[in-house]
Amino acid sequence: MQELSLTQEYLLCVLRNKGKISSFDIEKGMCLTGACVLELLLDGIISWEEKDRLSLRTHLPDRMSYLRPVYSYIEQKQPVKFKKIVERNSVTFTDQNINEIVDAVGKSLVEAGCAAEERGGLFGGKTIYVPNEKALDRVIQNIRAELLEDGELSEDIIALTALLDKSGELSRYFSAYEKKALKARLKEIKENPQVKAFQKVLEDIDNLFVLLIVAAT
């Protein structure tokens, strides 16, 4: 099993044994889009421009081809606000766009030996990606090692932790004892100057989710 990227690790953690992101899990879909954008930012493929818009800086490497759905949209619409990217993939009447991302990243996990491609869904006609337990455990242990031990946090772990926490998935991987230490560590992460690079993405996800809740009530 090869080393995984931020987006690959995030999807692996939220797929669970269902092998897919439900259409009801809108925030998980938003955070998956957020992971794609953050990975492109951290690798210098895209950058923030004036008025909080995103533009391309360089070509997408073959090793990151699973990010093609998001990269291509930015290429077509640049400069484009992150909010527009999330709306296209999550706040729609169909799952087509988010499924395109899940399929691209899911297939990369299969190629990496970290997931199995199967048929599932209500009538068994949907492609799903079931996580390899050893691969998932390796990701969780890496998170645990950095979050619950002293030392500097890597950018990928900060981003992965923030996105898993935002989507409500982080706490299910930790024991009751660990959750106390985790709460203090999360506060430290939020106050870390490194996180400022991610705040725009996380704030936009928050704002869009609030708008969805208001619209549904």
Side-chain angles (χ1 to χ4, degrees), residues 85-97:
I85 304 172
V86 176
E87 286 176 341
R88 176 184 182 271
N89 294 325
S90 305
V91 192
T92 62
F93 293 108
T94 72
D95 297 335
Q96 179 180 345
N97 294 330

Side-chain angles (χ1 to χ4, degrees), residues 148-160:
L148 300 179
E149 296 178 12
D150 294 332
E152 187 175 346
L153 295 171
S154 66
E155 288 185 325
D156 277 3
I157 287 294
I158 292 174
L160 179 60

Side-chain angles (χ1 to χ4, degrees), residues 5 17 27 33 39 44 69 106 126 183 198 214:
S5 70
N17 58 359
E27 197 160 24
T33 301
E39 186 172 338
K126 182 180 177 64
K183 187 175 181 180
F198 313 136
V214 171

Side-chain angles (χ1 to χ4, degrees), residues 22-175:
S22 168
S23 57
F24 297 105
D25 291 332
I26 296 176
E27 197 160 24
K28 291 182 178 63
M30 289 180 176
C31 287
L32 176 59
T33 301
C36 293
V37 170
L38 283 172
E39 186 172 338
L40 290 168
L41 283 167
L42 291 173
D43 278 65
I45 308 299
I46 63 174
S47 62
W48 290 112
E49 305 296 342
E50 291 182 5
K51 298 181 180 179
D52 293 327
R53 296 175 187 270
L54 294 162
S55 292
L56 303 187
R57 290 184 60 192
T58 186
H59 296 294
L60 185 70
D62 289 341
R63 62 182 173 81
M64 299 170 71
S65 60
Y66 52 87
L67 298 177
R68 178 67 61 184
V70 173
Y71 177 91
S72 294
Y73 181 72
I74 296 173
E75 184 177 34
Q76 294 166 14
K77 301 294 183 179
Q78 63 179 328
V80 59
K81 288 188 175 183
F82 171 70
K83 178 182 176 181
K84 291 294 183 182
I85 304 172
V86 176
E87 286 176 341
R88 176 184 182 271
N89 294 325
S90 305
V91 192
T92 62
F93 293 108
T94 72
D95 297 335
Q96 179 180 345
N97 294 330
I98 194 65
N99 285 344
E100 185 181 4
I101 298 174
V102 172
D103 282 337
V105 182
K107 289 183 185 301
S108 75
L109 288 172
V110 173
E111 292 172 1
C114 297
E117 184 174 325
E118 300 180 6
R119 304 299 288 177
L122 185 60
F123 301 106
K126 182 180 177 64
T127 300
I128 62 174
Y129 304 92
V130 180
N132 176 295
E133 290 187 10
K134 287 185 178 179
L136 176 58
D137 185 64
R138 185 172 66 177
V139 173
I140 299 307
Q141 293 307 324
N142 285 341
I143 296 173
R144 179 176 279 111
E146 286 208 34
L147 285 180
L148 300 179
E149 296 178 12
D150 294 332
E152 187 175 346
L153 295 171
S154 66
E155 288 185 325
D156 277 3
I157 287 294
I158 292 174
L160 179 60
T161 300
L163 290 167
L164 287 174
D165 185 47
K166 185 76 66 178
S167 59
E169 289 291 295
L170 187 64
S171 62
R172 75 185 182 92
Y173 290 113
F174 294 86
S175 68

